[in-house]
Every structure is written in C-alpha cells, then in structure tokens.
C-alpha cells in the first residue's frame, strides 16, 4: 500500500472520531475488548488489521496489544525498548516531565525516563492515537506502535475495555498492606508443610520489620523509599488456607476463604495429590498462584495464573525421551520397553516420555503397567525383556527396582541400557550395586548435589537460625525461590499492585541462578520456570556421586 | 542503633537493587555497517525438528538474512518478524530465492513445536527457518555475530544480511521501516 493511500486513510479516520457509538453491556465490553486486546480478533470474528513500521501490514492474529503492552496494560520493558502503559487510568492523566534525580526509585526511573510528556487523553485523542499514531501533542509516535484500522463501534469497545484494565485495586491490596495466602491440603507431610511455609514467613517478617523501622526512623524511611518506592511502607500478611476432604469440595472452601480474607496472590502451596481444583479456581478468579509444591502440575499453553517451578515429574520422562532421541543410532529399530508403576507418579513419568518420543517421530515404546502395591520381581523383568529384546528398558518405579534389576543383569538377554528416575529412587540411589551402574541412566531434575552445596548458605538464610536438618531440603529451596521471585517482582512494579501486572512483571525477569535448579527462566506466558533435567550416572565407590551425561536442557 | 539499622537495611535491600539500563535509541532510524563474521560450525534444530548445519545453511550462495528473536518476546520480535513476513510478501514469487533465518535466544523455552507455531502466526512461507539449539551453541552464534546478549531481557533489534558476492554481512541495528528492510535486502542480494 502506498504512503499516500495510508495518509488518506488516516485522514478519514481522523475525521470520524469514535464518539456516539452505542456501547454494548459491560460484560460484552470485557468479552469483545479482551478478544481484540489479547487475540487480535474483531467483534465480527475477523482479524484486526494494522500497519507497523510505516508500511508493513499485520494481522492481529500475528500480534496484538497484549504482545507489547502486556495483559495488565501496564506496559513492558525489554532492552532499550519501553512500551508505555495503555490502561485508561494512566492514559487519562497528564504525563509530567521526568526530572532526573527527583524520581530516584530505580524501578520507576528506569522506565519513566524514556517516556515523553503529553497531556491527558480524551476518547477522541485516544482514538486518533490508536488509528493514526498521533498523540495529543501532535507527535507521530514511534512506528513500532501499530496503526489500527477500526470501525467506530469497535474502537469505542476497545477504548472502553482499556478503561477497565488495571483500574480498580486488586483484592488483597490495602492502603499500606498486601495480603497473601498459602494453600495447604490436609494430609500433606508436616515436615514438607513447614519447609514450604518457613521461607515465605521469613520473607514476610523481614518485609514487616523494614516497614516498622521505616515508621519510626526517618532515615530508614528515606533509604527504604529510595530503593523500594511506595512498597517500603507496606506490611505483608500470610495466612494458611487449609483444604480438607474430597477435592470436589475444595472449590467451595476456596471461595469461602477468598470471600472472608481475599489474598492478592497465593504463594507456594502444597498438596500430596492433585492441584487441579486450586489451579482452576485461580484461573477463573484471576488470582496469581506462585510455585505450588506439587509433582504433577496442570499443563496448559494458555492458562495464565499459576506459575509452576517445573513441569513436575513428567519433565524427567520428557528428558529421558530427548536423551534417547540423541542416541538413535544405538537404538535403531529395536524396541524400548517402558515398565510403569501404576499411580500418579508413574503415569506422569511415562506420559512425559511417550509424548516427547512421539513428537520426535519414533514408534511408541511397549508399555507394561505394574499394579500399585505389587512388588517388582526379577521374573517380571525377565518376561518383559524376553518378549521384546529391547535396546532400552525404562523402569518408572521406586527403590524396589534395585534388587530385581540386579538379578536381571545376570541374564544374557539383558538390555544394554536402563533408565529410571533418581528422584523416585531417593537416597537409595547410592546403594545401587557397582555392576548395575554402567548400564543405569537416571533422570535428575536439579543441579547436582555436589554443585548445589555452594547455595547452602543462601538457602539457610530463610531459616532465620532454625536447624536445617529439620526441613525437607528440596522444598526449602523451592520456597526460597518463591519468596525471592516475589520480592524482586514487587520491587519492579512501580507501586502498581495489580494481579495481572505481578505476572507480567515476573514474565519480564531475567534468568535466575537459585539454589536447587541449574537455572530458572521466565517470559510473558511462560509458566514452568525450570526447563531442565540432567541424565546422570552413578560414579564409583562407596558413596557414589552423580555424574552428568547430558546438558541441563536436552535438545 | 543507627549503624545497626543501616546495616540491617542494606541486608534487606541488596537483593532488590536493579541495574539501570542504557538510554533509548531513537526508533525508526537504524545504524548500518558492513562486517565479516566467522560462522561457527554448529548444528542447530529447525521448526520441524530437523538438524541443520548452520554454516552450510548460511553460506549457501543465496542471499540470506539472520535475526535473533524468541517466541515470548515483547515489542522487538513482533516488529522484526513482521518485517520478515512483509519481505516474503513483497518478493512474491521471488520469495523462494531468499532465505530468512531466525535464531532463538531463548532455546530453553523455544522447542521445535513452539517455533513452528510462531512461524504459523506470521503466516511464514517456505524459506523462513526458525532455529533452536543448545545454549552453548546459541551463545557461540550470538558471539560470532557480535550480538551476544547476556540475558534475553537485554535483547536488541539486530538484523544481518549476507551478501553472496563476497560473503560479507550488512549489520542493521534498530527497528526499521518495512520499505528500508526490503531495500537493504534487495541491494545486498542483488535482487
């Protein structure tokens, strides 16, 4: 399209401001507005049309408002590119000059110094900005901001929707207080529960002592403000939401807690079984849920509100499949047998393997399911192997597999390679006899224990002097991550304590090097922080260490 | 009392400190230079899960463009990718003669199925490949192009076009207008 034509189009839109259009109901505005804002689809079902970089036509289905201004509408920062907020509350306020040195809260300064002044928008000037890219000062804004071709009514719906973004304070946020809750499912191991809660409580207490100190000491208050902005004066609370009985009844219990003492976000959380009802509740209510301690997270490409530390035990099965995919020459067209202990854990591991193995284009493994509770015998293994002569035997079971597997090693038809889960073997992994160590490959979704030692001091800080041996070291470290991610995110939020913005902000965080996982990473819409899992083998000698046989993330 | 409080505060706040970022470039304008790069001999994986040798892919004799993006990136990548899609459309039937390569800087998240979905969103035609690989190999590639980002959040808009006549690369820094990108590509590739 020629520039002349574009200018003609722009003039046409300019002369027809989006006023006077009859607006649908508030719910319809939410539905239709969100569709334009998040999916780039017009109310009539067509893709939104726009031009970027002056003359490049794009469909809303490639990217739309949310890709740059994020879900909360409070904007994004990436490298040197700052995308300003596009929520009504901020748009309809004048943007004052940024005075260097006056605003010294880093999170605010880093962002505000990029943005030019402008008067408050009106519905008319906002429509002009969205359709023609001209702001109320007459400035033609960067060509990175697309120019949208919208009918008057669609424009009016979009603007009405922008006015609802990050508009009313999020539940759980008071004038000087932010309330959090942690969900504990009855029946969880008490040591696990304390290991999950202690780091969170430490972080809350630490924040409150700062707020208290700032309240009585001017100097502390000033320092606190310079670093944390408005956050420095807030106190935090953490309550326990205990869920009892049948998971089908959790929904009602959660609703009751939420009604009585709404929380800005759920932190951690723990369940010995399913997490699904909590996940669904958070999704429907728009409540962030940061890093519950669960083995079997809900997997979804589109769900927004629950962040998990990883894809759970399934990630070990996936890693095993990627690792074997890298050695296809060894396997060729020979079979793989997957022995699966029936139950949540075995099924998740097997499913992770199955999915990735299929994705990488292989014939499915032969699955043999062991009934829950029935001990694994050498005879059962011999039978599994005899029929299929597999190149690889995968055993998703607990430490009960070590002895029968040892016996199988004497068998001439034993497979050359065996895969199992080191987390499921637990501390018994070190008792694997030497003869079994050469063919045995284990999945290990954490940093190697010997390398993680250097994080001991950091992880112990959150115990505030309590004895570390009273805690579950993995869960302690997981909760350490939760409280640190939360602290950093709140600090980057410029005092805008909106639930969606909390998640947007975490999405803009850099890769982090924490205790436990080799690396955790984030990104808009990414919901599983640790993406890695090593394949390891046991070294020689009495107390063997794990030795890496793969990268952290296997491609 | 005072000293203890200040010490306490520093302890409390140190993890919260953030580094300040560099001043913004003016967008729409871009910097151009001609460079020589030694492409590392690494094997990456494309959107179909196929292994590709980067050196052979880039040094095929066809004009080829390279950019560094990732699937969940905000403002920068949508613009770079819209530029690629625009170039393919503009060149029409000639588009099979040009090779567009995007390399993810977030290999841990960007698996082949994610790369494939991303290309589909931009209605990419054949000739636009999106590559992932091990973090170490991706780092080597970024370094070779003098485009190493310590973290994906330090990402900068860079596009490279290889000139088949002598193997040198045009390095373009900035978010360009569509027309400028097409022009740069035509010039470099003698189209």
């Amino acid at each position: 399209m020629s520039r002349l034509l574009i200018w003609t189009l722009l003039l046409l839109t300019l002369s027809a401001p989006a006023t006077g259009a009859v607006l649908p109901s508030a719910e319809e505005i939410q539905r239709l507005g969100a569709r334009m804002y998040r999916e780039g689809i017009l109310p009539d079902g067509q893709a939104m049309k726009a031009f970027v970089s002056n003359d490049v036509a794009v469909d809303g289905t490639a990217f739309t408002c949310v890709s740059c201004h994020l879900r909360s509408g409070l904007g994004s920062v990436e490298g040197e590119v700052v995308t300003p907020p596009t929520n009504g509350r901020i748009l309809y306020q004048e943007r004052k000059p940024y005075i260097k040195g006056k605003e010294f809260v880093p999170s605010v300064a880093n962002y505000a110094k990029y943005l030019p002044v402008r008067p408050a928008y009106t519905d008319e000037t906002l429509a002009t900005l969205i359709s023609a890219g001209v702001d109320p000062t007459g400035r033609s804004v960067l060509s990175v901001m697309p120019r949208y071709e919208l009918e008057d009514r669609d424009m009016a719906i979009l603007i009405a929707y922008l006015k609802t973004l990050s508009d009313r304070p999020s539940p759980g946020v008071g004038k000087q207080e932010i309330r959090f809750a942690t969900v504990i499912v009855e029946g969880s191991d008490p040591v696990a529960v304390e290991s999950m809660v202690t780091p969170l409580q430490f972080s809350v207490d630490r924040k409150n002592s700062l707020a208290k100190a700032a309240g009585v000491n001017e100097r502390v208050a000033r320092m606190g403000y310079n670093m944390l902005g408005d956050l420095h004066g807030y106190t935090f609370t953490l309550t326990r939401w205990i869920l009892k009985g049948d998971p089908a009844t959790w929904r009602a219990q959660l609703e009751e807690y939420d009604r009585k003492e709404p929380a800005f976000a759920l932190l951690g959380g723990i369940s010995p079984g399913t997490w699904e009802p909590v996940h669904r509740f958070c999704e429907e209510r728009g409540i962030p849920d940061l890093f519950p301690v669960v083995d079997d997270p809900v997997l979804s490409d589109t769900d927004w509100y629950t962040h998990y530390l990883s894809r759970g035990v399934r990630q070990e099965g996936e890693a095993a499949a990627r690792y074997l995919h890298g050695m296809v020459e060894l396997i060729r067209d020979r079979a793989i047998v997957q022995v699966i202990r029936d139950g949540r854990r075995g099924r998740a591991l097997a499913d992770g393997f199955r999915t990735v193995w299929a994705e990488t284009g292989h014939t499915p493994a032969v699955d043999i399911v062991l009934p829950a509770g029935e001990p694994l015998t050498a005879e059962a293994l011999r039978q599994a192997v005899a029929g299929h002569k597999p190149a690889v035997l995968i055993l998703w079971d607990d430490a009960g597999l070590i002895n029968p597997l040892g016996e199988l090693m004497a068998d001439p038809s034993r497979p050359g390679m065996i895969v199992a889960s080191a987390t499921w073997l637990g501390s018994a992994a070190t008792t694997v006899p030497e003869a079994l160590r050469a063919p045995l490959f284990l999945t290990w979704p954490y940093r190697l224990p010997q390398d993680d030692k250097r994080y001991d001091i950091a992880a112990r800080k959150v115990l505030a002097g309590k004895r570390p041996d009273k805690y579950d070291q993995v869960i302690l470290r997981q909760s350490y991550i939760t409280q640190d991610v939360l602290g950093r995110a709140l600090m980057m939020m410029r005092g805008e304590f909106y639930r969606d913005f909390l998640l947007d902000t975490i999405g803009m965080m850099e890769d982090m090097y924490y205790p436990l996982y080799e690396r955790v990473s984030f990104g808009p819409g990414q919901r599983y922080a640790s993406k890695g899992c090593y394949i390891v083998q046991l070294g020689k000698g009495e107390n063997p260490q794990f030795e890496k046989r793969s990268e952290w993330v296997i491609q | 009392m005072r000293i203890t409080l200040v010490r306490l505060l520093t302890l409390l706040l140190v993890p919260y400190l953030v580094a300040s970022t560099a001043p913004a470039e003016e967008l729409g304008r871009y910097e151009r230079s001609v460079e020589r790069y030694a492409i590392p001999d690494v094997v990456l994986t494309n959107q179909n899960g196929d292994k590709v040798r980067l050196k052979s892919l880039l040094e095929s004799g066809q004009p080829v463009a390279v950019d560094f993006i990732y699937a969940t990136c905000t403002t920068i990548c949508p613009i770079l990718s819209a530029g690629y899609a625009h170039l393919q459309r503009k060149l029409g039937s000639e588009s099979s003669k040009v090779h567009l390569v995007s390399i993810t800087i977030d290999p841990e998240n960007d698996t082949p199925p994610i790369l494939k979905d991303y290309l589909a969103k931009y209605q990419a035609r054949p000739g636009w490949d999106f590559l992932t690989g091990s973090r170490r190999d991706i780092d080597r590639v970024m370094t070779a192009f003098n485009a190493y980002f310590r973290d994906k959040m330090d990402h900068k808009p860079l596009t490279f076009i290889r000139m088949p006549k002598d193997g040198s690369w045009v390095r373009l820094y900035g978010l360009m207008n569509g027309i400028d990108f097409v022009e740069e590509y035509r010039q470099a590739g003698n189209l």
Side-chain angles (χ1 to χ4, degrees), chain A residues 77-200:
Chain A
V77 185
E78 189 188 334
E80 300 159 353
V81 178
V82 174
T83 303
T86 183
N87 61 327
R89 181 171 49 82
I90 295 182
L91 290 173
Y92 287 74
Q93 259 172 42
E94 177 187 5
R95 191 159 53 224
K96 304 229 169 66
Y98 166 69
I99 301 165
K100 199 163 178 269
K102 181 167 177 293
E103 188 62 272
F104 27 51
V105 179
S107 63
V108 175
N110 277 342
Y111 134 99
K113 69 184 174 206
Y114 295 109
L115 300 176
V117 294
R118 55 151 179 74
Y121 280 94
T122 61
D123 288 2
E124 286 74 19
T125 56
L126 188 51
T128 304
L129 182 283
I130 295 170
S131 57
V134 177
D135 85 358
T137 65
R139 178 177 72 101
S140 192
V141 302
L142 301 173
S143 62
V144 173
M145 164 64 203
R147 277 54 168 171
Y148 285 90
E149 295 170 5
L150 290 172
E151 304 280 341
D152 284 1
R153 182 165 177 277
D154 297 346
M155 179 67 87
I157 294 172
L158 181 61
I159 289 178
Y161 176 75
L162 297 180
K163 289 180 188 170
T164 69
L165 279 175
S166 301
D167 172 36
R168 272 168 302 163
S170 282
V173 179
K175 272 211 155 48
Q176 285 298 306
E177 182 191 65
I178 304 180
R179 288 196 298 275
F180 299 98
T182 185
V183 172
I184 296 166
V185 174
E186 221 184 26
S188 300
D189 169 25
V191 172
V193 171
E194 281 319 299
S195 308
M196 186 277 288
V197 174
T198 302
L200 303 178

Side-chain angles (χ1 to χ4, degrees), chain A residues 265-504:
Chain A
L266 302 183
L267 306 181
I270 192 163
S271 166
T274 182
W275 193 250
E276 171 111 30
V278 186
H279 177 108
R280 288 277 146 259
F281 171 76
C282 288
E283 201 55 34
E284 280 158 37
R285 293 293 178 94
I287 304 173
D289 178 8
L290 295 185
F291 309 122
V293 174
V294 289
D295 274 350
D296 190 10
V298 177
L299 295 190
S300 160
D301 290 339
T302 48
D303 284 357
W304 196 257
Y305 287 96
T306 305
H307 272 262
Y308 294 98
L309 284 156
S310 73
R311 293 158 66 83
V313 292
R314 167 188 307 264
Q315 198 156 309
E316 295 179 53
E318 295 171 345
R322 293 216 170 83
Y323 186 71
L324 293 184
H325 175 63
M327 18 198 341
V328 272
E329 320 81 54
L330 285 179
I331 299 164
R332 293 180 190 271
D333 39 14
R334 291 163 64 205
I336 292 183
V337 169
Q338 191 174 213
V339 176
I340 308 155
R341 172 66 66 190
D342 201 14
R344 296 177 64 83
R345 189 162 187 162
R347 276 200 300 265
L349 283 160
D351 200 50
F353 180 86
R354 194 179 298 122
T355 310
V356 171
W357 194 241
E359 225 171 69
T360 43
H362 299 281
T363 23
V366 180
D367 286 356
I368 298 175
V369 179
L370 296 171
E374 184 180 295
L376 179 67
T377 60
E379 187 45 36
L381 284 182
R382 246 178 238 122
Q383 272 176 23
V385 169
H388 305 283
K389 307 234 166 356
V392 183
L393 173 66
I394 303 174
L395 277 174
W396 300 130
D397 198 1
D398 61 18
L401 66 78
I402 297 175
N403 289 335
L405 194 57
E407 283 183 50
L408 182 73
M409 281 304 105
D411 202 294
S413 66
R414 62 161 201 260
M417 184 174 178
I418 293 143
V419 177
S421 156
T423 55
W424 209 353
L425 295 185
S427 54
T430 53
T431 67
V432 168
E434 296 250 5
L436 231 163
R437 293 185 198 167
L440 183 62
F441 290 75
L442 299 170
T443 53
W444 180 250
Y446 308 126
R447 187 180 287 118
L448 297 196
Q450 57 269 34
D451 298 340
D452 208 44
K453 283 218 167 60
R454 64 175 189 272
Y455 290 87
D456 281 351
I457 297 176
R460 272 176 206 169
K461 268 201 192 122
V462 293
L463 288 179
K466 298 194 196 85
R467 277 180 44 197
D469 54 356
K470 292 239 167 76
Y471 296 90
D472 178 310
Q473 296 307 310
V474 168
I475 298 177
L476 198 62
R477 282 161 140 79
Q478 290 176 324
S479 238
Y480 174 93
I481 297 174
T482 308
Q483 58 86 32
D484 192 85
V485 169
L486 176 76
R488 281 169 200 275
L490 288 172
M491 146 92 191
M492 285 162 68
M493 288 171 71
R494 318 185 297 257
E496 301 271 13
F497 300 121
Y498 292 89
R499 285 170 165 172
D500 282 355
F501 192 45
L502 173 67
L503 299 178
D504 285 346

